[in-house]
């Protein structure tokens, strides 16, 4: 290389700022916490037909089919939060479920726990936005398989 040629610097060789690294760690920690919550605290009771979940879905008039469907969607979202190419899509899907949960809380249960889905939506929307670069990778994978 001559002394007049500038060295080529790749993005991988540029050090990530400490702030950016800590933000990434914090976001990943929130993703894992939400995945654990949705898998074990939310989906599992529905999938094993725990009495509290079954009673809630009976009160809504959705029965066991609705309970299992929501449980499967929550479990899929929880798993998706842990898979890099699915993170943004999973967070978006879980956010949509939380919109539905909010509406159900208001319409069916008089808003007793309506704040819970709203609180869960905040980090989900942040994850969906922060991990949106993976959407292009997911789209490429879907197109290649289709």
């Amino acid at each position: 290389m001559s002394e007049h040629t500038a060295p080529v610097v790749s993005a991988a060789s540029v050090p990530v700022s400490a702030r950016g690294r800590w933000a990434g760690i914090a976001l990943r920690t929130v993703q894992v916490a939400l995945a654990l919550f949705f898998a074990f605290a939310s989906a599992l009771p529905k999938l094993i037909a725990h009495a509290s979940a079954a009673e809630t879905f009976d009160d809504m008039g959705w029965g066991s089919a609705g309970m299992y469907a929501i449980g499967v969607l929550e479990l899929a979202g929880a798993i998706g939060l842990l898979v890099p190419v699915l993170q943004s899509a999973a967070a978006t899907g879980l956010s949509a479920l939380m919109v539905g949960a909010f509406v159900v809380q208001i319409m069916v249960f008089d808003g007793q726990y309506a704040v819970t889905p709203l609180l869960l939506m905040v980090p989900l929307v942040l994850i969906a936005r922060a991990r949106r670069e993976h959407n292009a990778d997911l789209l490429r994978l879907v197109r290649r398989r289709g």
Side-chain angles (χ1 to χ4, degrees), residues 7-58:
V8 176
V9 178
S10 71
S13 67
V14 176
V16 176
S17 72
R19 181 178 176 187
R21 191 174 76 202
W22 284 111
I25 291 169
L27 186 63
R28 188 67 174 163
T29 302
V30 170
Q31 283 178 240
V32 170
L34 283 170
L36 291 171
F37 170 80
F38 278 105
F40 293 107
S42 194
L44 185 62
K46 294 172 183 80
L47 295 174
I48 65 170
H50 189 271
S52 64
E55 182 181 321
T56 300
F57 278 85
D58 285 340

Side-chain angles (χ1 to χ4, degrees), residues 28 31 80-92 127 131 134:
R28 188 67 174 163
Q31 283 178 240
L81 284 174
L82 302 175
V83 178
V85 74
L86 299 174
Q87 293 169 347
S88 181
T92 302
I127 292 165
R131 304 293 193 208
H134 294 296

Side-chain angles (χ1 to χ4, degrees), residues 62-108:
W62 291 15
S64 61
M67 178 179 64
Y68 291 128
I70 298 296
V72 166
L73 290 171
E74 288 176 340
L75 182 59
I79 293 167
L81 284 174
L82 302 175
V83 178
V85 74
L86 299 174
Q87 293 169 347
S88 181
T92 302
L94 286 169
S95 294
L97 275 177
M98 292 302 98
V99 169
F102 174 76
V103 170
V104 167
Q105 288 295 328
I106 296 294
M107 303 297 288
V108 178

